[in-house]
Amino acid sequence: MRVTVRLFAKLRDLAGSGELVREVPPPATVQSVWKALVSEMPALADYERTMSVAVNADYSRMSSPVQDGDEVAFLPPVSGG
Amino acid sequence: MGVPLVTVTPDPLDLQALTAEVVGRGSGDGAVASFIGLVREQNQGRRVSFLEYEAYEPLAVRALQRIVEEIRESWPDVRVGVHHRTGRLELGDASVIIVAASPHRASAFAACRYTIERVKQIVPIWKHEHFEGGDVWLEGAVADPDDEAARQAAHRIACA
């Protein structure tokens, strides 16, 4: 199945792109999408401790299921205002 | 036409338009509190040149709407609007504006303060600071809207 991965701020810089399309084997979770991403780009790994995640632009959890066509976002600590 | 109560936009922010929208929806208001966040020249000992704000826009709008809902629960007589800017901002530019209207000043001030504290906690927006000699992504709170302790902390600050 195919998912769109969105990355922001420093994570986007580290990955060199803010939007990636990846094939992941079902059944997938946010966690399994992240693991696949980190195996491809180990520099992202440290963010697992502090990032937030979203599925289809809604805050989610690492354990949440991911369906074909979903958009999965990984978000560094925020600094708006 | 009016402006939306919450938005994330690359355009300059208009406090007067947002105030008209928030107050125009009410009746019996006796107080309006507003907040403007500006791009500051000094940050953590660095001399800032400019900031670039990046947002995950659809989730940022949802998070702002959530804050509006939280205010409805805590201060039922308050109406609030909040606009956040994205893109390149120069020193002195407004990055965020908040307007809270209420029959009484105490809840208007409290809701206004609560809103900016929650923006900094849960809205997926990031500052990319460009300063003399380099640049850095600023990272503040780990965003978790369900973190009740964070919400309570924002509430305590708002009502201090």
mmCIF file of all heavy atoms in Angstrom, chain B residues 6 9 11 16 63 68 75 82 100-101 108 110 112-113 116 119 123-124 135 151 154:
data_model
loop_
_atom_site.group_PDB
_atom_site.id
_atom_site.type_symbol
_atom_site.label_atom_id
_atom_site.label_comp_id
_atom_site.label_asym_id
_atom_site.label_seq_id
_atom_site.Cartn_x
_atom_site.Cartn_y
_atom_site.Cartn_z
ATOM 1 N N VAL B 6 -10.630 31.952 12.725
ATOM 2 C CA VAL B 6 -9.281 31.379 12.803
ATOM 3 C C VAL B 6 -8.751 31.211 11.386
ATOM 4 O O VAL B 6 -9.482 30.806 10.482
ATOM 5 C CB VAL B 6 -9.234 30.030 13.558
ATOM 6 C CG1 VAL B 6 -9.830 30.145 14.941
ATOM 7 C CG2 VAL B 6 -9.903 28.926 12.777
ATOM 8 N N THR B 9 -2.232 32.181 7.468
ATOM 9 C CA THR B 9 -2.160 32.889 6.195
ATOM 10 C C THR B 9 -0.783 33.512 5.952
ATOM 11 O O THR B 9 -0.147 33.973 6.912
ATOM 12 C CB THR B 9 -3.225 34.018 6.156
ATOM 13 O OG1 THR B 9 -3.055 34.773 4.971
ATOM 14 C CG2 THR B 9 -3.119 34.946 7.363
ATOM 15 N N ASP B 11 -0.537 36.243 4.371
ATOM 16 C CA ASP B 11 -0.820 37.674 4.209
ATOM 17 C C ASP B 11 -0.633 38.429 5.527
ATOM 18 O O ASP B 11 -0.771 37.856 6.602
ATOM 19 C CB ASP B 11 -2.262 37.871 3.727
ATOM 20 C CG ASP B 11 -2.508 37.188 2.391
ATOM 21 O OD1 ASP B 11 -1.567 37.167 1.569
ATOM 22 O OD2 ASP B 11 -3.612 36.655 2.184
ATOM 23 N N GLN B 16 -7.703 45.089 13.163
ATOM 24 C CA GLN B 16 -8.979 45.804 13.114
ATOM 25 C C GLN B 16 -10.072 44.919 12.506
ATOM 26 O O GLN B 16 -11.202 44.863 13.013
ATOM 27 C CB GLN B 16 -8.804 47.079 12.279
ATOM 28 C CG GLN B 16 -9.782 48.157 12.640
ATOM 29 C CD GLN B 16 -9.440 49.497 11.989
ATOM 30 O OE1 GLN B 16 -8.383 49.645 11.363
ATOM 31 N NE2 GLN B 16 -10.310 50.459 12.145
ATOM 32 N N ALA B 63 -6.160 22.819 15.006
ATOM 33 C CA ALA B 63 -5.676 23.054 16.370
ATOM 34 C C ALA B 63 -6.184 24.401 16.888
ATOM 35 O O ALA B 63 -6.563 24.518 18.059
ATOM 36 C CB ALA B 63 -4.153 22.992 16.403
ATOM 37 N N VAL B 68 -10.343 27.387 20.283
ATOM 38 C CA VAL B 68 -11.599 28.141 20.374
ATOM 39 C C VAL B 68 -12.650 27.327 21.145
ATOM 40 O O VAL B 68 -13.387 27.868 21.978
ATOM 41 C CB VAL B 68 -12.097 28.524 18.966
ATOM 42 C CG1 VAL B 68 -13.510 29.092 19.023
ATOM 43 C CG2 VAL B 68 -11.153 29.535 18.319
ATOM 44 N N TRP B 75 -14.641 29.543 29.345
ATOM 45 C CA TRP B 75 -15.204 30.900 29.482
ATOM 46 C C TRP B 75 -16.372 31.021 28.502
ATOM 47 O O TRP B 75 -16.228 31.594 27.399
ATOM 48 C CB TRP B 75 -14.140 31.958 29.166
ATOM 49 C CG TRP B 75 -12.985 31.965 30.110
ATOM 50 C CD1 TRP B 75 -12.936 32.547 31.340
ATOM 51 C CD2 TRP B 75 -11.694 31.363 29.896
ATOM 52 N NE1 TRP B 75 -11.694 32.349 31.902
ATOM 53 C CE2 TRP B 75 -10.919 31.627 31.046
ATOM 54 C CE3 TRP B 75 -11.115 30.629 28.859
ATOM 55 C CZ2 TRP B 75 -9.599 31.180 31.182
ATOM 56 C CZ3 TRP B 75 -9.810 30.185 28.992
ATOM 57 C CH2 TRP B 75 -9.075 30.461 30.134
ATOM 58 N N VAL B 82 -8.344 34.132 16.254
ATOM 59 C CA VAL B 82 -6.880 34.085 16.218
ATOM 60 C C VAL B 82 -6.397 33.833 14.794
ATOM 61 O O VAL B 82 -6.883 32.929 14.122
ATOM 62 C CB VAL B 82 -6.324 33.038 17.221
ATOM 63 C CG1 VAL B 82 -6.994 31.698 17.062
ATOM 64 C CG2 VAL B 82 -4.813 32.876 17.090
ATOM 65 N N ALA B 100 -10.180 38.699 22.001
ATOM 66 C CA ALA B 100 -11.169 38.051 22.865
ATOM 67 C C ALA B 100 -12.154 39.104 23.352
ATOM 68 O O ALA B 100 -11.747 40.139 23.891
ATOM 69 C CB ALA B 100 -10.488 37.373 24.054
ATOM 70 N N ALA B 101 -13.428 38.823 23.153
ATOM 71 C CA ALA B 101 -14.476 39.765 23.567
ATOM 72 C C ALA B 101 -15.385 39.101 24.585
ATOM 73 O O ALA B 101 -15.681 37.906 24.486
ATOM 74 C CB ALA B 101 -15.293 40.209 22.358
ATOM 75 N N ALA B 108 -12.039 38.251 29.351
ATOM 76 C CA ALA B 108 -11.446 38.619 28.056
ATOM 77 C C ALA B 108 -9.921 38.522 28.123
ATOM 78 O O ALA B 108 -9.289 37.915 27.249
ATOM 79 C CB ALA B 108 -11.870 40.040 27.663
ATOM 80 N N ALA B 110 -8.167 36.757 30.302
ATOM 81 C CA ALA B 110 -7.782 35.357 30.556
ATOM 82 C C ALA B 110 -7.834 34.531 29.280
ATOM 83 O O ALA B 110 -6.916 33.756 28.979
ATOM 84 C CB ALA B 110 -8.691 34.752 31.631
ATOM 85 N N CYS B 112 -7.624 35.561 26.221
ATOM 86 C CA CYS B 112 -6.591 36.022 25.294
ATOM 87 C C CYS B 112 -5.245 35.375 25.659
ATOM 88 O O CYS B 112 -4.549 34.826 24.804
ATOM 89 C CB CYS B 112 -6.512 37.550 25.381
ATOM 90 S SG CYS B 112 -5.607 38.319 24.048
ATOM 91 N N ARG B 113 -4.916 35.397 26.944
ATOM 92 C CA ARG B 113 -3.651 34.802 27.400
ATOM 93 C C ARG B 113 -3.655 33.285 27.198
ATOM 94 O O ARG B 113 -2.659 32.697 26.768
ATOM 95 C CB ARG B 113 -3.437 35.145 28.886
ATOM 96 C CG ARG B 113 -2.116 34.619 29.458
ATOM 97 C CD ARG B 113 -0.937 35.377 28.873
ATOM 98 N NE ARG B 113 0.338 34.731 29.144
ATOM 99 C CZ ARG B 113 1.117 35.024 30.187
ATOM 100 N NH1 ARG B 113 0.754 35.926 31.062
ATOM 101 N NH2 ARG B 113 2.278 34.417 30.343
ATOM 102 N N ILE B 116 -2.802 32.339 23.485
ATOM 103 C CA ILE B 116 -1.404 32.368 23.028
ATOM 104 C C ILE B 116 -0.608 31.239 23.683
ATOM 105 O O ILE B 116 0.257 30.619 23.027
ATOM 106 C CB ILE B 116 -0.742 33.753 23.248
ATOM 107 C CG1 ILE B 116 0.643 33.793 22.608
ATOM 108 C CG2 ILE B 116 -0.671 34.146 24.704
ATOM 109 C CD1 ILE B 116 0.664 33.604 21.104
ATOM 110 N N VAL B 119 -1.528 28.176 21.705
ATOM 111 C CA VAL B 119 -0.912 28.236 20.366
ATOM 112 C C VAL B 119 0.510 27.690 20.456
ATOM 113 O O VAL B 119 0.949 26.875 19.631
ATOM 114 C CB VAL B 119 -0.910 29.679 19.816
ATOM 115 C CG1 VAL B 119 0.044 29.814 18.627
ATOM 116 C CG2 VAL B 119 -2.323 30.085 19.409
ATOM 117 N N VAL B 123 -0.175 24.077 18.331
ATOM 118 C CA VAL B 123 -0.423 24.416 16.921
ATOM 119 C C VAL B 123 0.838 24.114 16.092
ATOM 120 O O VAL B 123 1.915 24.612 16.417
ATOM 121 C CB VAL B 123 -0.844 25.893 16.768
ATOM 122 C CG1 VAL B 123 -1.074 26.234 15.304
ATOM 123 C CG2 VAL B 123 -2.119 26.153 17.570
ATOM 124 N N PRO B 124 0.710 23.276 15.046
ATOM 125 C CA PRO B 124 1.890 22.866 14.277
ATOM 126 C C PRO B 124 2.405 23.965 13.349
ATOM 127 O O PRO B 124 2.147 23.972 12.152
ATOM 128 C CB PRO B 124 1.410 21.637 13.502
ATOM 129 C CG PRO B 124 -0.054 21.861 13.321
ATOM 130 C CD PRO B 124 -0.511 22.595 14.564
ATOM 131 N N ASP B 135 21.505 30.054 10.993
ATOM 132 C CA ASP B 135 20.057 29.884 11.076
ATOM 133 C C ASP B 135 19.762 28.656 11.916
ATOM 134 O O ASP B 135 20.596 27.760 12.038
ATOM 135 C CB ASP B 135 19.430 29.744 9.684
ATOM 136 C CG ASP B 135 19.896 28.495 8.971
ATOM 137 O OD1 ASP B 135 20.937 28.552 8.284
ATOM 138 O OD2 ASP B 135 19.233 27.457 9.112
ATOM 139 N N ARG B 151 -2.655 21.631 29.284
ATOM 140 C CA ARG B 151 -3.837 22.491 29.216
ATOM 141 C C ARG B 151 -4.078 23.189 30.556
ATOM 142 O O ARG B 151 -4.380 24.384 30.601
ATOM 143 C CB ARG B 151 -5.058 21.649 28.813
ATOM 144 C CG ARG B 151 -6.304 22.487 28.642
ATOM 145 C CD ARG B 151 -7.495 21.673 28.163
ATOM 146 N NE ARG B 151 -8.700 22.489 28.229
ATOM 147 C CZ ARG B 151 -9.900 22.092 27.827
ATOM 148 N NH1 ARG B 151 -10.054 20.884 27.314
ATOM 149 N NH2 ARG B 151 -10.936 22.875 27.926
ATOM 150 N N ALA B 154 -1.636 26.032 30.981
ATOM 151 C CA ALA B 154 -2.045 27.222 30.226
ATOM 152 C C ALA B 154 -3.174 27.950 30.951
ATOM 153 O O ALA B 154 -3.215 29.187 30.996
ATOM 154 C CB ALA B 154 -2.492 26.819 28.818
#
